[in-house]
């Protein structure tokens, strides 16, 4: 019999009891950086099922969550493959430029700026080399064709290096005593697993569904599913290392079926202490070096804290800055996986049709026109997140279906 309890499901109370433990365990989340991935969102290549499923002792979902919370992995090195398929529309390369936030030399930018470079992980398939030795030493390298981009955190220094352009970006990490906890970006299976587990409540089913081998290691499969209808999320599967309790693979599949939206996994991993030289960095001869303060992007003091978390930087627009009433008045409709964020931009919605000229026609080609009691609007869709912008400027967005957004807008009238 397979070593799992397929009918075991954690209750809301049981999950709440584990959250404090997960917060403590978050200190050791593998600290590699991905900025703005759908939200702290998503996928790494199917890493790897090996020959047969391992024969492991039975474990319940609650016990497996406890195992993740107690995991104290601080040191590791390995290779991660990330595949993200959000189903974004083809804008002829425009979306890549927007996602990467390519830095402009005229604005003092640098191609080595992590906030610009690492957003590329939000789409396509990428291979990363990662290493960590506690909260103060981490390295991530994005391997490209005949080039490499690296982010190195060693003590107070944070370096970004783009070998293709021979540019270097330098900043300093936060001096906060909480630095080791706060500077944990969502990029590896454990990062994503922590985020997914935060969403577990009585709207969620959490079970153990067998075993697997990932990167040559035995693992249990934890499956997280919405109980509610209307969500675009089908299931989240986390392969948890049987020995260390560290998530080795994260897969998010959509309710609509097909390939994973996010599939993140180690293809090779070692929990031995990396060599100290792994985290050494000096700008190569002839490289252009941009200091964070010289780039006009906030203070050195706060550089590490925000970019490693994937959070907003001081130079970034504040919520609602360009949206009229904007996000300041944001409300949440519903709960759990079917919750919807809504706010009023105070504007007139998106230009569309003949009234919007050429740009209106372009917008129409990207979205679907919908009507209801609320009037009319346009739904912009990915395989995970949908957004409805009504013609009177109201916005409804969530990991829910188009019909669920329309019903929410109708209920608001």
């Amino acid at each position: 019999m397979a070593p799992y309890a397929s009918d075991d499901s954690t209750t809301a109370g049981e999950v709440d009891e584990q959250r404090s433990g997960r917060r403590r365990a978050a200190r050791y989340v593998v600290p590699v950086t991905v900025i703005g991935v759908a939200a702290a969102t998503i996928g790494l290549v199917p890493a790897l099922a090996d020959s047969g499923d391992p024969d492991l002792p039975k474990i319940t979902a609650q016990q497996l969550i406890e195992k993740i919370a107690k995991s104290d992995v601080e040191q590791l090195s390995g290779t991660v493959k990330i595949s993200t398929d959000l189903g974004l529309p083809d804008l002829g390369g425009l979306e890549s430029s927007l996602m990467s936030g390519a830095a402009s030399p005229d604005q003092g930018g640098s191609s080595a700026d992590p906030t610009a470079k690492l957003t590329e992980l939000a789409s396509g398939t990428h291979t990363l080399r990662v290493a960590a030795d506690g909260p103060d030493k981490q390295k991530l390298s994005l391997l490209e064709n005949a080039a490499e981009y690296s982010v190195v955190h060693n003590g107070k220094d944070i370096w970004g290096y783009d070998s293709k352009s021979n540019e270097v970006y330098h900043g300093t990490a936060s001096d906060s005593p909480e630095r080791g906890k706060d500077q944990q970006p969502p990029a590896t299976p454990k990062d994503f697993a922590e985020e997914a587990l935060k969403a577990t409540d009585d709207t969620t089913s959490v079970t153990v569904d067998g075993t697997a081998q990932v990167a040559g290691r035995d693992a249990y499969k934890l499956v997280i599913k919405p109980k509610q209808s209307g969500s675009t999320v089908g299931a989240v599967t986390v392969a948890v290392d049987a020995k260390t309790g560290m998530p080795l693979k994260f897969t998010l599949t959509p309710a609509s079926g097909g390939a994973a939206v996010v599939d993140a996994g180690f293809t090779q991993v070692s929990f031995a202490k990396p060599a100290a030289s792994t985290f050494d960095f000096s700008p190569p001869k002839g490289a252009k070096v941009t200091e964070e303060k010289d780039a006009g992007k906030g203070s050195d003091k706060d550089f590490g804290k925000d970019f490693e978390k994937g959070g907003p930087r001081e130079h970034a627009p504040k919520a609602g800055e360009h949206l009229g009433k904007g996000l300041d008045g944001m409300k949440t409709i519903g709960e759990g996986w079917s919750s919807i964020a809504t706010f009023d931009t105070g504007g007139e919605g998106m230009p569309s049709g003949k009234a919007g000229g050429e740009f209106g026609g372009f917008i129409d080609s990207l979205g679907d026109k919908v009507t209801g009691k609320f009037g009319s609007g346009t739904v912009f869709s990915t395989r995970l997140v949908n957004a409805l912008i009504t013609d009177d400027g109201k916005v409804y967005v969530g990991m829910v279906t188009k019909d669920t957004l329309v019903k929410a807008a109708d209920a608001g009238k």
Side-chain angles (χ1 to χ4, degrees):
M1 180 175 179
Y4 63 96
S6 61
D7 59 347
D8 176 74
S9 179
T10 56
T11 65
E14 290 169 338
V15 171
D16 287 339
E17 291 174 4
Q18 309 311 320
R19 282 179 176 158
S20 61
R22 288 200 297 274
R23 294 189 187 102
R24 290 192 296 271
R27 174 184 178 89
Y28 304 109
V29 173
V30 182
V32 288
T33 306
V34 173
I35 305 303
V37 175
T41 231
I42 300 184
L44 316 210
V45 174
L48 352 149
D50 286 12
S51 43
D53 294 340
D55 184 14
L56 297 173
K58 291 183 179 180
I59 192 170
T60 67
Q62 181 179 352
Q63 290 169 335
L64 192 51
I65 289 174
E66 291 173 350
K67 195 173 186 69
I68 296 172
K70 292 176 182 177
S71 178
D72 60 356
V73 172
E74 284 192 276
Q75 299 169 335
L76 67 78
S77 58
T79 303
V80 173
K81 279 200 171 183
I82 300 177
S83 267
T84 308
D85 182 7
L86 293 171
L88 297 173
D90 182 5
L91 304 182
L94 175 61
E95 77 279 11
S96 297
S97 298
L98 294 174
M99 291 292 284
S100 65
S104 169
D106 295 337
Q107 298 175 347
S110 169
S111 67
D113 184 345
T115 59
K117 188 67 176 180
L118 293 179
T119 53
E120 294 178 10
L121 299 183
S123 63
T125 297
H126 304 274
T127 299
L128 308 174
R129 281 202 301 257
V130 299
D133 185 5
D136 292 322
K137 293 183 178 182
Q138 303 100 36
K139 181 177 182 179
L140 174 151
S141 295
L142 171 61
L143 308 182
E144 301 174 314
N145 292 332
E148 180 175 320
Y149 176 79
S150 294
V151 177
V152 180
H153 173 206
N154 192 340
K156 291 186 178 181
D157 289 308
I158 298 176
W159 300 92
Y161 175 58
D162 185 353
S163 69
K164 186 176 182 179
S165 63
N166 199 27
E167 291 193 25
V168 174
Y169 196 85
H170 177 243
T172 54
S174 167
D175 292 326
S176 165
E178 295 294 298
R179 180 177 59 192
K181 298 178 182 178
D182 293 343
Q183 296 176 344
Q184 310 298 343
T188 66
K190 181 160 188 175
D191 299 327
F192 290 119
E194 291 283 344
E195 293 300 315
L197 287 171
K198 289 177 184 176
T200 56
D201 54 22
D202 57 6
T203 69
T204 308
S205 165
V206 185
T207 59
V208 179
D209 186 21
T211 65
Q213 275 210 338
V214 176
R217 297 186 64 89
D218 293 348
Y220 293 100
K221 293 192 295 184
L222 186 71
V223 179
I224 303 168
K225 290 183 178 181
K227 291 181 179 178
Q228 303 161 301
S229 61
S231 175
T232 55
V233 176
V236 170
T237 302
V238 182
V240 182
D241 186 63
K243 185 174 182 179
T244 67
M246 177 178 159
L248 299 174
K249 188 174 187 290
F250 173 97
T251 304
L252 188 157
T253 54
S256 58
V261 173
V262 178
D263 192 32
F266 283 94
T267 59
Q268 181 276 327
V269 64
S270 168
F271 297 116
K273 180 182 177 71
S277 60
T278 302
F279 310 102
D280 293 340
F281 182 83
S282 296
K285 183 178 180 180
K288 175 188 174 182
V289 180
T290 300
E291 293 290 337
E292 202 270 347
K293 62 179 182 297
D294 295 335
K297 298 183 178 180
S299 68
D300 278 349
K301 179 179 179 181
D302 292 328
F303 177 87
K305 179 180 71 174
D306 285 337
F307 102 64
E308 287 190 302
K309 289 172 63 180
R313 299 274 294 283
E314 285 190 0
H315 69 282
K318 293 181 173 59
E321 186 174 330
H322 304 301
L323 293 174
K325 297 179 183 178
L327 302 181
D328 291 339
M330 186 170 66
K331 299 178 181 178
T332 300
I333 300 172
E335 61 178 353
W337 300 84
S338 297
S339 61
I340 297 170
T342 179
F343 58 93
D344 190 342
T345 66
E348 298 180 355
M350 298 295 293
S352 63
K354 294 181 179 179
E358 292 184 4
F359 186 66
F362 175 70
I363 293 297
D364 285 347
S365 71
L366 299 179
D368 296 325
K369 294 296 292 184
V370 294
T371 58
K373 296 177 182 177
F374 65 88
S376 60
T378 305
V379 173
F380 299 92
S381 299
T382 71
R383 299 178 67 219
L384 188 65
V385 178
N386 290 319
L388 165 62
I389 303 178
T390 66
D391 289 348
D392 60 358
K394 293 183 176 61
V395 177
Y396 299 83
V397 60
M399 291 189 295
V400 297
T401 63
K402 179 172 68 175
D403 290 344
T404 301
L405 289 179
V406 171
K407 289 178 181 178
D410 281 344
K413 298 306 289 183

